[in-house]
């Protein structure tokens, strides 16, 4: 695997390659590695990036304590046959303060955007910049970050970028907890409590499949369940899969959630399988 910190060197290395790209912030786990394997199906040269993007963290968020595990990450990327790792430092990616910013449309201001103002601006800006540097023909994003995937898809569409965006399924621990770099913040007690988030989403999905359509009540009940167990939910929302707006009855649904367990903010989502044959 070639580890390349400089943009100019990366451009030389990738000239003429058909690239499938997986951007990450490092601290890689099995979920990331599954995205790397998936990328292999979409390009002859698999490129990963590791860059903890300050632009997408609010000043009070966890930028400074975000886990940085570069050597272990490199070993993992080698083990799944990644060809090139782009690993710029901040001076390389942001030599001047990044004043040109990508402002996502209004749907990025709800859900994650409501609780993390500016987050999707930071994500869209770095992803567009990484796309310009790497020039992939395809890029893989995990579905755990459901709204992020949607923001990236919409950016690619509206800015006519010639890049196929591929969704990677959420990898889960045996007890259902979605794999996330932030799981490493959890204490042992919190870690055993953490799968409740996914179980709560499953319970909402089952209720919908059993015929309940009172989504607001379902959301409130689910949040209450978490609160009873010492969580602080930001939101649990039943939404339309297509655009994350409030759903009509016939829409395909997804339940999205974000909740604090102690000092750790976890997010997850679950698409509701249709129970009718239609
Ligand atoms: O999902 C992430 O890890 C980040 O938001 C991304 C897409 C690498 C941009 O910094």
């Amino acid at each position: 695997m070639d580890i390349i910190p400089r943009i100019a060197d990366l451009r030389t290395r990738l000239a003429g390659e058909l690239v499938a790209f997986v951007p990450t912030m490092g601290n890689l786990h099995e979920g990331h590695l599954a995205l790397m394997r998936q990328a292999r199906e979409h390009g002859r040269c698999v490129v990963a990036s590791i860059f903890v993007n300050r632009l997408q963290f609010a000043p009070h968020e966890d930028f400074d304590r975000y886990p940085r595990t570069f050597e272990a990450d490199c070993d993992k990327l080698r083990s799944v046959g990644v060809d090139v790792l782009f690993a710029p430092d901040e001076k390389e990616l942001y030599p001047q303060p990044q004043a040109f910013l990508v402002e996502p449309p209004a749907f990025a201001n709800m859900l994650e955007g409501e609780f993390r103002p500016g987050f999707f601006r930071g994500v869209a800006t770095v992803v567009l910049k990484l796309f310009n540097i790497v020039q992939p023909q395809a890029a893989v994003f995990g579905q755990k970050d459901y709204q992020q995937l949607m923001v990236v898809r919409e950016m690619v569409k509206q800015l006519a970028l010639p890049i196929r965006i591929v969704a990677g399924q959420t990898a889960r621990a045996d007890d259902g907890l979605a794999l996330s770099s932030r799981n490493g913040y959890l204490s042992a007690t919190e870690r055993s409590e953490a799968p409740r988030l996914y179980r709560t989403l499953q319970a909402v999905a089952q209720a919908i499949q059993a015929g309940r359509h009172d989504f607001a009540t379902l959301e409130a009940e689910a949040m209450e369940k978490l609160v009873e167990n010492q969580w602080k939910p930001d939101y649990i929302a039943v939404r339309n899969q297509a655009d994350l707006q409030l759903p009509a009855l016939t829409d395909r649904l997804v339940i999205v959630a974000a909740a604090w367990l102690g000092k750790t903010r976890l997010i997850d989502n679950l698409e509701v399988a249709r129970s009718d044959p239609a």
Side-chain angles (χ1 to χ4, degrees):
M1 181 174 76
D2 298 328
I3 300 174
I4 305 182
R6 307 299 300 265
I7 296 172
D9 297 335
L10 188 78
R11 291 213 158 109
T12 307
R13 169 65 180 81
L14 297 183
E17 293 277 17
L18 292 175
V19 170
F21 177 45
V22 187
T24 82
M25 299 204 301
N27 193 236
L28 304 179
H29 50 65
E30 187 46 46
H32 293 110
L33 301 187
L35 303 183
M36 306 294 161
R37 292 189 200 97
Q38 204 172 342
R40 175 68 56 211
E41 297 161 24
H42 297 276
R44 274 202 289 280
C45 178
V46 174
V47 178
S49 65
I50 294 180
F51 180 69
V52 185
N53 174 37
R54 189 187 291 275
L55 275 190
Q56 70 191 69
F57 290 79
H60 63 277
E61 289 184 342
D62 56 345
F63 176 80
D64 287 327
R65 70 174 183 133
Y66 198 85
R68 286 146 173 100
T69 51
F70 189 71
E71 293 307 325
D73 290 347
C74 289
D75 290 343
K76 289 178 186 166
L77 292 175
R78 279 190 203 98
S79 78
V80 291
V82 166
D83 299 293
V84 176
L85 170 61
F86 178 47
D89 63 13
E90 278 200 282
K91 281 210 191 78
E92 183 68 8
L93 213 58
Y94 299 135
Q96 312 148 268
Q98 183 69 32
F100 281 92
L101 300 167
V102 179
E103 188 62 45
F107 83 88
N109 297 332
M110 62 185 184
L111 302 170
E112 281 302 281
E114 181 185 340
F115 289 92
R116 302 187 67 188
F119 170 66
F120 287 121
R121 185 190 308 124
V123 169
T125 303
V126 81
V127 169
L128 180 61
K129 192 156 185 176
L130 290 168
F131 282 173
N132 285 332
I133 293 166
V134 176
Q135 303 203 0
Q137 57 167 5
V140 188
F141 289 81
Q143 209 166 353
K144 184 174 85 70
D145 297 284
Y146 205 89
Q147 197 177 0
Q148 168 174 282
L149 174 62
M150 203 164 274
V151 167
V152 171
R153 277 194 196 291
E154 199 56 29
M155 176 178 78
V156 163
K157 195 164 110 199
Q158 290 201 16
L159 298 179
L161 305 180
I163 302 170
R164 187 180 338 134
I165 301 301
V166 179
Q169 271 195 356
T170 303
R172 296 186 182 280
D174 289 344
D175 59 12
L177 177 65
L179 299 190
S180 162
S181 302
R182 291 191 168 98
N183 293 351
Y185 298 152
L186 298 169
S187 69
T189 322
E190 289 167 344
R191 175 62 189 81
S192 57
E193 171 61 20
R196 189 182 305 279
L197 185 60
Y198 184 54
R199 288 204 302 274
T200 304
L201 296 183
Q202 288 175 308
V204 176
Q206 280 159 14
I208 294 170
Q209 283 167 325
R212 279 190 62 180
H213 294 122
D214 50 339
F215 300 142
T217 312
L218 279 173
E219 291 167 1
E221 286 171 4
M223 303 242 284
E224 188 50 41
K225 251 271 146 340
L226 290 183
V227 170
E228 279 166 16
N229 288 282
Q230 276 65 59
W231 293 69
K232 290 199 185 67
D234 279 349
Y235 60 84
I236 295 186
V238 180
R239 294 296 171 98
N240 189 335
Q241 279 180 27
D243 56 9
L244 284 177
Q245 300 296 329
L246 294 174
L249 280 186
T250 51
D251 287 337
R252 287 180 176 278
L253 303 177
V254 58
I255 311 154
V256 286
W260 290 88
L261 188 52
K263 289 186 165 46
T264 307
R265 186 173 185 276
L266 299 177
I267 66 170
D268 203 349
N269 64 79
L270 180 62
E271 290 184 338
V272 183
R274 284 187 182 225
S275 49
D276 59 348

